């Protein structure tokens, strides 16, 4: 079959396939459609079974497994990070306790005596500076500070809200601290910053305002000698007058007798957190978050966000995110968009208080939906490919097994051959030949005039005509004798007279002409019915 024939054949096949009346569909077409339908049912059933048993890959399951793994890794990373930070903060507090106690002992003074004593405060801040500088070299943070429980001038308005101290920040944020990092001088006496040739922060102030650090009094009240039980991680705060946001790790500073000298802390600003907690996620558009959760709301404004090593950051707004279940995952709806992910409670410090910290990981819902649609497209494409292969197979089967049948029938009807290579078709041909032979006149019947025979029928007597009519209906001599309640001898006598009047010599010849009369009568009745319908 040529290319044109192939195309024409399949156009005809599909035109018949999508018609309600497919009675004119060839045997080849019927076989191909049946095989194709069977293949489609088997393929669809296989896909459905594999999907039901979870043996086919699913975007939902894959994303859920990846997010659970990412959440485990992120939580472990946070535990390690905040655990190391806690260790650095506690060690810094102990070193500061030793340095400050030693300096106060030299001046034979207490921390209360440092208020309104600029000379003593300068000496204390010089001690503080050296500890903070060494801490910033080794600690995994963006800044460090100390607040002393003293003020340089208690006579000033709101002096009870002012605390002396030192605050140093990294000038350049990077994932790995330099051996000698450039530092910004944010709080402390001007002499300290000038002496060590630091760049003063554009929002430099002499002292801290604890009005914006409400956790100062809480930490002072809960301070105890075992520092591992009284440190605190604060929700995200702003450095006043700047765009900078940060979380603070606070530890009280106590003297040898348990007296409160102040507090120290490590700063983790938003940019540093992004770099320190960025991960090798399963997708580039991945977000990790540490924040507080309030019922069905996640509060990103209380924590910090990280992204991936590819440089992706979602830039989540601080407004609350509404949480709703989404299958085995959560859907987070916010002003920044919709996300799909998971969260889990985590303890950051012994003094978390009312802060219900959680660690959360998620991806944009658009990315999740896109991957889901791509999976459906792949499954559909795979199904279409398998179905197309099944169609080619069905076409091949139809050509292989039906074409020889059709060729054999064509060969027989054209008279080229009376045998094929298919036993079933040969048996059919033999049967048709036998039926054809039954319709042909026997070779020993003389070619008499049928009209003469028909006219002679009128010469039969009433009894003879009754016997003749039963012959025409196909009854045998014994059957006619039973039906007419006659003996076989009487039937034989009737037969002799019928043969003589009709000019036939045998029962075989009689039955042949009787059959011809039956066919002629049926033709006349058929023609008469058609004529009446036409007139009507």
């Amino acid at each position: 079959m040529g290319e044109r024939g192939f195309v024409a054949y399949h156009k005809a096949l599909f035109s018949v396939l999508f018609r309600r009346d497919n009675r004119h569909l060839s045997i080849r077409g019927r076989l191909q459609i049946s095989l194709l339908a069977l293949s489609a049912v088997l393929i669809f059933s296989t896909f459905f079974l594999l999907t039901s048993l979870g043996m086919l890959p699913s975007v939902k399951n894959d994303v859920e497994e990846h997010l659970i793994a990412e959440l485990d890794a992120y939580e472990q990373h946070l535990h390690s990070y905040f655990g190391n930070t806690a260790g650095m903060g506690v060690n810094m507090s102990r070193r500061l306790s030793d340095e400050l106690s030693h300096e106060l002992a030299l001046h034979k003074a207490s921390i209360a005596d440092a208020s309104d004593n600029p000379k003593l405060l300068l000496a204390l801040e010089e001690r503080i500076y050296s500890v903070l500088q060494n801490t910033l070299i080794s600690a995994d943070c963006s800044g460090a500070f100390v607040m002393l429980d003293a003020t340089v001038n208690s006579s000033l308005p709101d002096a009870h809200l002012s605390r002396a101290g030192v605050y140093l920040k990294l000038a350049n944020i990077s994932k790995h601290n330099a051996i000698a990092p450039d530092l910004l001088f944010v709080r402390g006496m001007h002499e300290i910053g000038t002496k060590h040739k630091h760049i003063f922060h554009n929002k430099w102030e002499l002292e801290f305002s604890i009005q914006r650090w409400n956790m100062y009094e809480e930490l002072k009240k809960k301070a105890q000698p075992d520092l591992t039980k009284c440190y605190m991680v604060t929700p995200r705060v702003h450095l006043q007058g700047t765009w900078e946001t940060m979380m603070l790790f606070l530890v009280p500073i106590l003297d040898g007798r348990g007296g409160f000298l102040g507090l120290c802390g490590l700063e983790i600003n938003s940019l540093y957190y992004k770099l320190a907690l960025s991960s090798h996620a399963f997708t580039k558009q991945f977000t990790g978050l540490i924040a507080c959760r309030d019922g069905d709301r996640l509060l990103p404004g209380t924590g910090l966000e990280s992204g991936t090593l590819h440089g992706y950051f979602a830039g989540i707004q601080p407004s609350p995110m509404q949480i709703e279940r989404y299958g085995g995952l959560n859907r987070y709806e916010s002003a920044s968009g919709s996300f799909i992910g998971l969260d889990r409670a985590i303890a950051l410090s012994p003094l978390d208080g009312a802060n219900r910290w959680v660690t959360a990981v998620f991806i944009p819902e658009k990315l999740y939906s896109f991957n889901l649609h791509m999976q459906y497209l792949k499954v559909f494409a795979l199904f279409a490919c398998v179905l197309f292969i099944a169609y080619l197979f069905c076409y091949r089967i139809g050509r292989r097994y039906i074409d020889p049948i059709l060729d054999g029938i064509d060969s027989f009807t054209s008279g080229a051959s009376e045998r094929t290579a298919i036993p079933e078709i040969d048996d059919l041909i033999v049967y048709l030949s036998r039926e054809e032979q039954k319709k042909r006149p026997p070779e020993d019947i003389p070619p008499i005039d049928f009209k003469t025979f028909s006219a002679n029928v009128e010469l039969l007597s009433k009894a003879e005509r009754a016997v003749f009519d039963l012959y025409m209906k196909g009854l045998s001599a014994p059957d006619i004798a039973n039906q007419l309640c006659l003996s076989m001898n009487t039937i034989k006598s009737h037969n002799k007279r019928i043969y003589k009047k009709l000019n036939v010599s045998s029962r075989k010849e009689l039955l042949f002409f009787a059959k011809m009369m039956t066919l002629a009568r049926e033709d006349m009745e058929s023609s008469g019915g058609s004529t009446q319908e036409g007139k009507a």
Side-chain angles (χ1 to χ4, degrees):
M1 181 182 290
E3 182 178 355
R4 292 185 179 179
F6 181 85
V7 175
Y9 166 75
H10 287 88
K11 284 185 177 179
L13 177 61
F14 282 101
S15 66
V16 175
L17 177 62
F18 293 102
R19 290 203 314 241
R20 290 185 178 179
D21 184 9
N22 60 356
R23 290 175 298 174
H24 302 290
L25 191 60
S26 66
I27 186 174
R28 181 195 297 136
R30 292 174 185 270
L31 176 62
Q32 291 175 350
I33 291 173
S34 300
L35 290 175
L36 186 61
L38 178 61
S39 300
V41 170
L42 291 176
I43 294 169
F44 179 79
S45 302
T46 301
F47 273 109
F48 179 78
L49 180 62
L50 293 178
T51 303
S52 302
L53 296 177
M55 300 178 67
L56 286 180
S58 170
V59 168
K60 293 182 180 180
N61 295 336
D62 289 347
V63 170
E64 184 174 353
E65 291 175 2
H66 282 303
L67 286 174
I68 291 175
E70 290 292 345
L71 183 60
D72 292 340
Y74 198 71
E75 182 181 18
Q76 185 178 359
H77 196 175
L78 281 175
H79 276 301
S80 175
Y81 181 76
F82 280 97
N84 292 336
T85 304
M88 292 297 300
V90 170
N91 288 336
M92 182 175 70
S93 175
R94 289 169 178 165
R95 289 176 58 195
L96 286 167
S97 176
D98 293 341
E99 293 290 338
L100 294 175
S101 298
H102 182 70
E103 190 65 34
L104 290 172
L106 290 178
H107 289 80
K108 297 180 180 181
S110 65
I111 191 65
D113 298 329
S115 293
D116 300 317
N117 189 341
K119 183 177 179 181
L120 177 57
L121 284 175
L122 181 60
L124 292 174
E125 288 189 12
E126 185 64 39
R127 294 262 186 173
I128 291 170
Y129 173 83
S130 61
V131 175
L132 294 184
Q133 185 183 38
N134 291 331
T135 298
L136 284 177
I137 293 175
S138 56
D140 200 2
C141 61
S142 57
F145 57 89
V146 172
M147 291 185 192
L148 294 173
D149 196 29
T151 181
V152 70
N153 189 348
S154 59
S155 62
L156 294 176
D158 297 328
H160 64 288
L161 299 176
S162 184
R163 294 292 183 273
V166 179
Y167 189 174
L168 300 178
K169 287 174 59 69
L170 296 178
N172 300 305
I173 301 296
S174 63
K175 185 175 182 180
H176 304 287
N177 291 346
I179 296 177
D182 294 330
L183 302 177
L184 293 177
F185 197 71
V186 185
R187 297 287 185 274
M189 289 189 170
H190 191 274
E191 293 84 349
I192 300 293
T194 302
K195 175 183 177 182
H196 296 282
K197 299 179 181 181
H198 288 309
I199 300 174
F200 280 74
H201 196 277
N202 57 359
K203 296 297 179 179
W204 169 83
E205 293 181 5
L206 176 64
E207 294 189 337
F208 296 87
S209 174
I210 62 172
Q211 186 176 8
R212 300 189 294 269
W213 298 62
N214 54 6
M215 68 290 295
Y216 181 89
E217 292 297 334
E218 179 183 356
L219 199 60
K220 183 177 180 179
K221 292 177 182 179
K222 295 182 178 180
Q224 57 176 293
D226 188 356
L227 298 179
T228 61
K229 296 181 179 180
C230 60
Y231 63 85
M232 176 188 298
V233 177
T234 71
R236 186 169 72 181
V237 297
H238 276 82
L239 182 61
Q240 187 179 17
T242 71
W243 58 267
E244 291 186 74
T245 58
M246 62 199 72
M247 292 176 66
L248 303 176
F249 189 93
L250 305 178
V251 186
I253 306 173
L254 306 177
D255 59 20
R257 296 183 300 273
F260 184 76
L261 300 178
L263 64 81
C264 63
L266 299 175
E267 167 207 297
I268 307 167
N269 73 11
S270 56
L271 179 57
Y272 193 90
Y273 184 87
K274 288 179 180 179
L275 296 175
L277 273 294
S278 57
S279 63
H280 290 282
F282 68 99
T283 177
K284 293 182 179 180
Q285 299 183 44
F286 170 84
T287 298
L289 183 69
I290 179 71
C292 295
R293 177 168 175 167
D294 180 17
D296 292 335
R297 298 191 309 161
L298 186 64
L299 309 175
T302 62
L304 298 175
E305 165 198 352
S306 65
T308 67
L309 294 175
H310 302 284
Y312 170 81
F313 298 106
I316 298 174
Q317 299 296 320
S319 56
M321 305 177 78
Q322 193 65 34
I323 306 174
E324 61 183 24
R325 290 300 294 173
Y326 193 82
L329 303 171
N330 292 334
R331 183 174 181 269
Y332 302 85
E333 180 70 31
S334 71
S336 306
S338 299
F339 300 85
I340 301 297
L342 293 167
D343 62 73
R344 185 183 298 159
I346 185 174
L348 297 182
S349 68
L351 301 181
D352 284 343
N355 297 323
R356 292 185 56 208
W357 292 103
V358 296
T359 175
V361 293
F362 36 72
I363 61 174
E365 186 178 12
K366 290 182 178 179
L367 176 63
Y368 178 79
S369 299
F370 174 78
N371 290 335
L372 195 62
H373 293 156
M374 287 300 297
Q375 186 200 28
Y376 291 151
L377 184 61
K378 290 178 181 178
V379 171
F380 176 77
L382 179 61
F383 181 81
C385 290
V386 174
L387 190 60
F388 179 72
I389 294 173
Y391 169 73
L392 294 179
F393 175 76
C394 295
Y395 173 75
R396 178 61 179 170
I397 292 294
R399 298 283 297 177
R400 180 180 180 85
Y401 293 100
I402 301 301
D403 282 5
I405 298 175
L406 299 178
D407 292 341
I409 294 174
D410 291 341
S411 177
F412 173 74
T413 55
S414 63
S417 175
E418 295 185 356
R419 304 292 293 178
T420 68
I422 304 173
E424 292 82 357
I425 298 300
D426 290 340
D427 292 341
L428 177 61
I429 291 173
V430 171
Y431 172 77
L432 293 176
S433 298
R434 290 175 180 173
E435 292 297 315
E436 184 68 22
Q437 288 292 336
K438 292 179 181 179
K439 296 181 181 180
R440 295 178 182 176
E443 295 180 357
D444 56 347
I445 296 177
I448 65 172
D449 188 358
F450 177 67
K451 291 183 179 182
T452 303
F453 178 86
S454 300
N456 291 339
V457 172
E458 302 298 329
L459 301 176
L460 297 177
S461 66
K462 186 176 180 179
E464 295 166 350
R465 182 61 182 264
V467 174
F468 177 76
D469 288 341
L470 293 177
Y471 274 127
M472 288 185 64
K473 291 182 180 181
L475 273 66
S476 63
D479 293 335
I480 294 173
N482 291 333
Q483 185 165 341
L484 296 178
C485 299
L486 299 174
S487 66
M488 284 301 300
N489 290 330
T490 304
I491 295 298
K492 291 179 181 180
S493 298
H494 285 311
N495 287 344
K496 290 178 181 181
R497 290 192 291 271
I498 291 172
Y499 293 168
K500 182 177 181 180
K501 291 180 181 181
L502 298 181
N503 196 22
V504 295
S505 60
S506 66
R507 181 175 175 274
K508 186 175 184 181
E509 189 176 352
L510 174 65
L511 293 177
F512 172 74
F513 283 110
K515 188 172 184 180
M516 291 181 65
M517 288 187 66
T518 302
L519 294 175
R521 186 179 299 171
E522 291 176 353
D523 290 341
M524 291 178 64
E525 291 176 354
S526 177
S527 299
S530 300
T531 305
Q532 291 178 2
E533 291 178 1
K535 290 180 179 181

